[in-house]
Amino acid sequence: VQTSQKGLQRSMRGIATLLSLVLLSSISSTYANPLKVVQRISDSLQSKPRSREELKLGIAGFYDRSSKLWEEVWGEHMHHGYYVPANRTDHKQAQVDLIDEVLKWAGVEESGSRRPTKVVDVGCGIGGSSRHIARKYGATANGVTLSPYQAMRGNQLAQQQGLANRASFQVADALDMPFPSSSFDLVWSLESGEHMPDKKRFVDELFRVSMPNGRIIIVTWCHRDLSPNETSLTKKELNLLNKINRAYYLPEWCSVDDYVKILEEKGATDVKTEDWSWVIAPFWKAVIVSSLRPGSIWGLLKSGFSTQRGAYAMLLMLRGFDMGLIKFGLITCTKPK
């Protein structure tokens, strides 16, 4: 095991060096103006926060450029996998299993009167979760994303998989969704909450579109809960998160406890949370190792600066998980009747 870990560490250092050179080359080729090159490097090094509008545009562009490469390597599911047992290597199936295990954990029934019939996938990627849930429950699913490419690709895959009449995808802001109130009996958000610049408004919108007695599920990256004698994360922890924010177009992070407080203020019932960091722990290492494949390296070289920087930030994510800073939080509740 120690030999394997040392080999992975050497690979990670090699990836870091390669990506550093690629990033510098990409910035220089993208921005012919030397002043713009210097400004872009300076903003990245200082982990300069972005405005809400910059985040919105950046998220759309990031996923427009990176989703094709991700699908080529990892398939239609753009999220972590379920690694129980921890040594499993069927990574694509692990991603499907994560959806099923989260649904089971949240108590979503597969039969009976509370089986979901109308689902919204908030931050849907290219629609992998939506299509899987639509098939699993015989439900209809609507997905929203900021990325035009993702919405287009999600609809293409729905057509190819014979689900065009049950799963549809559109470009929309999760903080202002184009659906009437009380539209869905299952509100699903898998690894998109971390992108939301206003967590309270995010939860408000999830509640608005949920039917009374509807099930709401949020699976998201969070920072660790603060201890009773803490008022904030440490400077070292904040610096690491700021670097990740810059790469993945993320706003300020929050904890699972912060979400619970918002839900309780909304009057949510059956609130339940769990930390599944250990469940998904092998995922980032698997993604890093997959990036060593010749096809992945070539795809990354062609993908542009933001995707390359996102690949580099995988190492930072792994560091955050290892130090107990980044948590993979599960949160579910019921909207009151």
Side-chain angles (χ1 to χ4, degrees):
V1 174
Q2 289 180 342
T3 302
S4 176
Q5 289 177 337
K6 288 179 180 178
L8 178 60
Q9 290 171 352
R10 285 195 296 270
S11 298
M12 288 168 62
R13 286 195 294 270
I15 294 169
T17 302
L18 172 63
L19 286 173
S20 296
L21 294 173
V22 170
L23 286 171
L24 289 172
S25 174
S26 181
I27 295 173
S28 299
S29 62
T30 303
Y31 298 95
N33 187 330
L35 292 178
K36 288 187 177 181
V37 173
V38 172
Q39 185 63 53
R40 189 71 181 266
I41 293 174
S42 175
D43 289 346
S44 293
L45 291 176
Q46 295 178 49
S47 304
K48 182 181 177 182
R50 293 183 173 92
S51 68
R52 183 166 172 173
E53 190 60 29
E54 287 173 334
L55 286 171
K56 190 173 178 178
L57 292 172
I59 292 166
F62 176 78
Y63 285 110
D64 279 348
R65 291 185 290 271
S66 63
S67 295
K68 185 175 186 294
L69 176 60
W70 179 274
E71 185 185 359
E72 288 172 353
V73 177
W74 282 86
E76 64 181 318
H77 296 285
M78 304 184 69
H79 55 79
H80 291 76
Y82 183 82
Y83 287 89
V84 178
N87 63 348
R88 67 184 298 182
T89 57
D90 53 337
H91 302 301
K92 292 183 180 180
Q93 184 59 46
Q95 291 175 298
V96 175
D97 290 349
L98 181 76
I99 301 170
D100 289 333
E101 293 297 331
V102 168
L103 291 165
K104 185 190 302 182
W105 170 85
V108 179
E109 298 178 5
E110 293 195 35
S111 61
S113 61
R114 295 204 63 186
R115 174 177 177 157
T117 59
K118 295 182 179 181
V119 182
V120 62
D121 186 352
V122 185
C124 61
I126 58 174
S129 293
S130 301
R131 290 186 297 275
H132 180 76
I133 292 172
R135 279 190 294 263
K136 183 181 181 75
Y137 296 107
T140 60
N142 293 88
V144 296
T145 172
L146 289 173
S147 164
Y149 176 85
Q150 289 187 335
M152 177 273 295
R153 184 60 180 150
N155 285 317
Q156 281 184 344
L157 290 170
Q159 182 72 39
Q160 292 170 13
Q161 296 171 16
L163 292 168
N165 63 331
R166 300 225 311 271
S168 63
F169 307 93
Q170 62 185 297
V171 175
D173 188 341
L175 302 185
D176 186 21
M177 287 187 275
F179 306 117
S181 298
S182 303
S183 292
F184 304 99
D185 50 14
L186 177 59
V187 178
W188 171 268
S189 172
L190 177 58
E191 296 183 39
S192 64
E194 55 272 9
H195 281 297
M196 307 303 167
D198 185 336
K199 300 298 191 288
K200 184 179 183 303
R201 182 168 174 179
F202 171 51
V203 172
D204 286 345
E205 193 66 355
L206 299 184
F207 263 73
R208 184 186 68 78
V209 300
S210 173
M211 295 178 183
N213 209 37
R215 172 63 54 180
I216 297 170
I217 302 174
I218 305 169
V219 182
T220 184
W221 309 345
C222 290
H223 67 61
R224 63 175 179 83
D225 292 334
L226 299 180
S227 64
N229 61 342
E230 288 183 305
T231 57
S232 70
L233 298 173
T234 67
K235 185 176 180 180
K236 179 180 179 181
E237 289 173 328
L238 289 171
N239 285 339
L240 178 59
L241 292 182
N242 286 338
K243 291 177 183 178
I244 294 170
N245 291 351
R246 190 74 196 173
Y248 289 136
Y249 294 91
L250 302 179
E252 185 177 349
W253 292 53
C254 73
S255 67
V256 170
D257 274 353
D258 293 327
Y259 270 111
V260 170
K261 290 174 185 175
I262 297 172
L263 292 172
E264 289 177 342
E265 290 173 359
K266 295 289 295 181
T269 60
D270 305 320
V271 178
K272 177 182 174 183
T273 69
E274 196 162 322
D275 177 9
W276 275 21
S277 301
W278 64 276
V279 171
I280 57 88
F283 175 78
W284 283 103
K285 294 175 184 178
V287 173
I288 290 169
V289 169
S290 76
S291 67
L292 292 171
R293 299 171 188 160
S296 300
I297 294 174
W298 177 241
L300 188 61
L301 290 171
K302 297 189 298 180
S303 64
F305 169 71
S306 62
T307 303
Q308 293 156 5
R309 181 176 54 191
Y312 181 81
M314 290 190 298
L315 308 177
L316 303 179
M317 288 291 297
L318 184 59
R319 185 190 306 171
F321 275 115
D322 286 345
M323 65 192 284
L325 168 62
I326 296 176
K327 300 294 184 179
F328 192 75
L330 275 62
I331 307 147
T332 188
C333 69
T334 301
K335 179 178 175 178
K337 292 183 180 179

